[in-house]
Amino acid sequence: MSTVRGYFHPKTATGSSSLIPAPPWQYSGDLLTVEYRTDPERVRELLPEPLELADEDPGAVALIWADWQSCSASQEELLDPVRAQYKEAFVVVRCSYRGRTYSRCVYIWVDKDFAIARGLHQGYPKKLGSIHQTRPHPYGPAPRVAAGARFGATLAAADRRLAEATFTLREESATNGFVNGHPMIHHRWLPSIEKGKGLALDELVETGGASFEAGPAWAADAELTLFDAPTEELSRLEIREPIGAYFRQVGVTWDGGRLLESGTSGAE
């Protein structure tokens, strides 16, 4: 009997073809964040049981662009950059579970297959997209991380533009926003292979960073536009009131999560 190895598909005799390595996963990235308020009912419709709206500011939304370099504990991916570099744009809301406030990613687009695989494991609803953002650099025409620096960011999927934003850094900030500032609460779902049998995997999980470091946060003036698309629903989280915008460079390690409940979501 053969033994196959690997943390994720495809499992092989050596395991070297696995799409993702075992955690911990380490990330270094530039983040551009826009926070705004939408209709709280549009947030509520994205929260399956047993999650509820956050008690405070229930309509708050964060749309975050991230330009990442990521790696496993060996850090070997950093020397093979195609396995390390990717971009993503994700939408975070806040919710309540058993009286505690959590952050929850309700939409997320990435541009690499290994990032999608990690999302399936973690409970992030990842899809393929086209994501771009201005990179800072200390020389030439690229913006420096300083007051007055201007950045742009775009998000598209299935050949349709979903969002675009511009940022102008204003001053250093004590915060990088509040919507994405809590432990994450996600569902891990997998339909049964048998028709009509519901979910084979139905878990509510909590995750967060095992370690975190960051440079100064910068407050920014931002303009954000959302666009309709036939197979995306980001624009349902319409912009009613701006809250704030930020730039920050961060380093994060993810090393697993905690099971909160199993088989109780009622998802279809």
Side-chain angles (χ1 to χ4, degrees):
M1 182 71 69
S2 298
T3 298
V4 292
R5 299 173 176 85
Y7 189 74
F8 204 77
H9 304 303
K11 290 181 178 287
T12 63
T14 68
S16 61
S17 295
S18 180
L19 187 53
I20 52 175
W25 300 327
Q26 302 171 350
Y27 304 79
S28 301
D30 296 345
L31 272 60
L32 289 164
T33 301
V34 183
E35 293 185 335
Y36 67 91
R37 293 184 178 93
T38 192
D39 180 353
E41 291 304 311
R42 293 292 172 87
V43 175
R44 187 194 300 275
E45 69 185 23
L46 296 172
L47 301 177
E49 295 181 354
L51 306 182
E52 300 175 344
L53 285 173
D55 293 332
E56 296 183 7
D57 221 341
V61 177
L63 176 50
I64 304 165
W65 277 267
D67 188 356
W68 293 115
Q69 295 189 88
S70 64
C71 61
S72 59
S74 71
Q75 301 187 354
E76 62 189 57
E77 296 87 352
L78 297 177
L79 299 182
D80 189 10
V82 70
R83 298 159 57 198
Q85 296 174 358
Y86 73 101
K87 296 184 290 293
E88 69 184 3
F90 57 107
V91 181
V92 177
V93 300
R94 298 184 310 146
C95 59
S96 177
Y97 170 72
R98 293 187 176 180
R100 183 179 182 184
T101 301
Y102 285 88
S103 299
R104 181 177 175 90
C105 178
V106 292
Y107 298 118
I108 179 168
W109 296 265
V110 299
D111 61 2
K112 290 289 182 68
D113 57 358
F114 63 80
I116 287 183
R118 285 195 302 224
L120 291 174
H121 176 67
Q122 297 167 307
Y124 283 86
K126 292 189 176 183
K127 302 175 70 172
L128 278 178
S130 175
I131 303 99
H132 297 279
Q133 64 189 77
T134 308
R135 293 170 173 165
H137 197 278
Y139 303 104
R144 281 65 164 166
V145 182
R150 301 189 68 204
F151 295 78
T154 62
L155 164 64
D159 290 336
R160 275 86 170 187
R161 180 160 289 193
L162 305 181
E164 61 186 23
T166 58
F167 300 76
T168 302
L169 302 194
R170 191 172 63 245
E171 59 192 1
E172 288 193 20
S173 169
T175 178
N176 193 47
F178 68 95
V179 179
N180 195 37
H182 307 276
M184 304 298 295
I185 192 166
H186 289 145
H187 282 85
R188 287 165 28 102
W189 285 319
L190 183 68
S192 172
I193 198 68
E194 296 186 53
K195 292 180 67 174
K197 292 296 182 69
L199 296 175
L201 175 67
D202 184 4
E203 294 182 342
L204 182 66
V205 298
E206 174 189 318
T207 68
S211 66
F212 177 82
E213 59 181 338
W218 283 80
D221 297 317
E223 295 183 5
L224 173 65
T225 305
L226 307 180
F227 302 96
D228 294 334
T231 59
E232 302 290 353
E233 299 179 65
L234 173 59
S235 62
R236 286 183 61 81
L237 296 173
E238 61 185 8
I239 303 165
R240 288 196 168 182
E241 179 186 3
I243 297 176
Y246 309 92
F247 171 88
R248 198 175 199 187
Q249 296 178 309
V250 304
V252 183
T253 299
W254 188 90
D255 198 17
R258 182 169 68 96
L259 177 64
L260 299 175
E261 292 188 22
S262 182
T264 60
S265 71
E268 296 180 358

